[in-house]
Amino acid sequence: MKPKILVTGGAGYIGSHTCIALHQAGYDIIVFDNLSNSSVEAINRVSNLIKTPVTFIKGDIRDRASLQKVFIEHSFFGVIHFAGLKAVGESVEKPLRYYDNNVSGTLNLLDIMRAHDVKNFVFSSSATVYGDPDVLPINENAPRSATNPYGHSKLMVERILEDLTSADEGWSLVTLRYFNPVGAHVSGQIGEDPNGIPNNLMPYISQVAVGKLAQLSVFGNDYATPDGTGVRDFIHVTDLAYGHVAALDYIQQQDHPTGFLPINLGTGKGSSVLELLTAFSEVSGQRIPYQFAPRRAGDIASCYASADKAKALLGWEAELSIKDMCADTWRWQRLNPNGFS
């Protein structure tokens, strides 16, 4: 058995898939989640899939006492930190909520880690820290900025991590900047289950396909892209999960701390909204009604990764295709039309 890992936000979409990958790799996991945008049923299903009960603790990263208790009761090698709010549109409407949860919560977590001498940290960052990029594909040395409060909150945490390693060289802080996670576990048992109307494209498409929503709104058809719709680097959530395991393995293999280490996780290819829509229709056999709508505040035209650093350092690269992403999403949605409920 490899060392014990605290997975904050482990009941969420990416967290739950990563729990499976961590178990497969031999890590012992403890999940800490406030269930504000997730379900304990995800943990139950992960336990069934890995045939081992997952230790789950309900708690909020902003609650110092409950987080402190977890670190007193368990000896961790490191933390994978997913706990965060993630909807661009909502962040524009509710910026204070995003800064409180994503920035203040992370500060609290890091301070308690420091107090317990746990200095290995894999951070769930985002391609939004690159803002509206000048050059594509985007590599890790690209200038950073942000176009919305969600992106600002991720960028603020990255700055904090950089300052932390400047002050104390004992930290290994791998910040994984991922692009657009989609898809679901191949079993169809876990997948993306947003509260209310989905903020992200793929769950919206799948809910239209299953008849839960009437039609898709495509925000913007006048971007400088091949078909006028936004271009994104869609990455299968299972590939993404293995990226976190690769990051932990990398930290373990080093004979000294890594410091602040930013790494992109993406496929290196961009697909437009309409291309994803077409692929989903083909895989599912469903017609997806859609209409064009005005651009959303904070959105950009194109964003896709250079994933060379992940391959060189972590030995990781994305393997699953857009077709796989659509097929697995459709299986999850068909089997679970109302998500975990």
Side-chain angles (χ1 to χ4, degrees), residues 100-121:
D100 178 42
N101 192 91
N102 295 5
V103 181
S104 300
T106 304
L107 276 172
N108 198 41
L109 173 62
L110 289 167
D111 195 41
I112 289 172
M113 287 177 66
R114 179 191 54 76
H116 290 269
D117 200 33
V118 178
K119 294 186 175 180
N120 299 314
F121 188 70

Side-chain angles (χ1 to χ4, degrees), residues 7-323:
V7 185
T8 70
Y13 173 46
I14 302 170
S16 57
H17 288 81
T18 301
C19 285
I20 292 175
L22 287 166
H23 175 79
Q24 289 171 341
Y27 285 97
D28 187 12
I29 55 176
I30 305 284
V31 171
F32 187 84
D33 196 306
N34 68 2
L35 303 179
S36 67
N37 192 27
S38 57
S39 167
V40 74
E41 178 60 18
I43 295 300
N44 296 336
R45 294 192 186 186
V46 167
S47 297
N48 289 336
L49 287 166
I50 66 174
K51 297 180 171 50
T52 306
V54 173
T55 303
F56 171 70
I57 299 162
K58 186 177 180 183
D60 193 300
I61 54 169
R62 294 165 295 180
D63 180 352
R64 194 170 183 85
S66 64
L67 200 51
Q68 187 86 266
K69 188 170 181 283
V70 177
F71 277 83
I72 290 168
E73 292 176 354
H74 299 275
S75 178
F76 295 113
F77 169 74
V79 174
I80 299 184
H81 179 37
F82 294 109
L85 300 171
K86 61 176 187 176
V88 169
E90 184 185 55
S91 79
V92 174
E93 294 166 14
K94 302 174 182 176
L96 293 182
R97 186 170 177 236
Y98 273 68
Y99 293 127
D100 178 42
N101 192 91
N102 295 5
V103 181
S104 300
T106 304
L107 276 172
N108 198 41
L109 173 62
L110 289 167
D111 195 41
I112 289 172
M113 287 177 66
R114 179 191 54 76
H116 290 269
D117 200 33
V118 178
K119 294 186 175 180
N120 299 314
F121 188 70
V122 178
F123 176 53
S124 167
S125 191
S126 165
T128 55
V129 301
Y130 295 119
D132 197 348
D134 295 327
V135 177
L136 293 168
I138 306 165
N139 70 33
E140 290 81 357
N141 297 320
R144 283 173 293 167
S145 63
T147 59
N148 54 70
Y150 165 70
H152 285 303
S153 74
K154 292 295 186 183
L155 186 49
M156 283 179 187
V157 172
E158 287 203 6
R159 301 285 192 208
I160 290 164
L161 299 182
E162 287 174 287
D163 289 342
L164 190 52
T165 52
S166 295
D168 179 353
E169 293 179 349
W171 288 84
S172 289
L173 302 170
V174 180
T175 183
L176 298 176
R177 296 172 180 160
Y178 20 95
F179 282 64
N180 291 72
V182 296
H185 191 263
V186 69
S187 66
Q189 291 303 299
I190 60 169
E192 191 166 8
D193 182 23
N195 285 340
I197 304 294
N199 285 295
N200 294 331
L201 176 62
M202 185 69 106
Y204 208 110
I205 291 174
S206 66
Q207 288 191 19
V208 172
V210 84
K212 198 172 174 185
L213 295 170
Q215 66 176 6
L216 173 73
S217 290
V218 177
F219 296 106
N221 64 340
D222 56 351
Y223 287 110
T225 61
D227 61 21
T229 65
V231 168
R232 297 291 181 268
D233 189 339
F234 297 102
I235 175 172
H236 199 297
V237 67
T238 298
D239 278 333
L240 202 59
Y242 290 131
H244 293 79
V245 175
L248 272 183
D249 288 347
Y250 179 79
I251 290 171
Q252 266 204 285
Q253 290 157 9
Q254 304 312 299
D255 54 10
H256 55 80
T258 67
F260 176 75
L261 181 62
I263 299 178
N264 289 341
L265 293 185
T267 64
K269 297 187 287 287
S271 301
S272 75
V273 172
L274 290 184
E275 284 172 333
L276 187 69
L277 199 56
T278 301
F280 197 97
S281 290
E282 288 173 359
V283 164
S284 67
Q286 304 298 304
R287 181 178 158 271
I288 317 288
Y290 69 90
Q291 63 177 9
F292 291 116
R295 297 182 183 190
R296 286 185 304 189
D299 275 352
I300 59 175
S302 295
C303 183
Y304 54 95
S306 163
D308 295 344
K309 188 175 180 181
K311 186 174 182 181
L313 283 188
L314 308 183
W316 173 93
E317 59 184 325
E319 295 178 0
L320 298 166
S321 68
I322 285 280
K323 218 165 226 183

Side-chain angles (χ1 to χ4, degrees), residues 182-184 202 206 280 324-333:
V182 296
M202 185 69 106
S206 66
F280 197 97
D324 296 322
M325 300 173 205
C326 293
D328 291 341
T329 301
W330 178 233
R331 185 181 303 108
W332 151 254
Q333 189 70 71

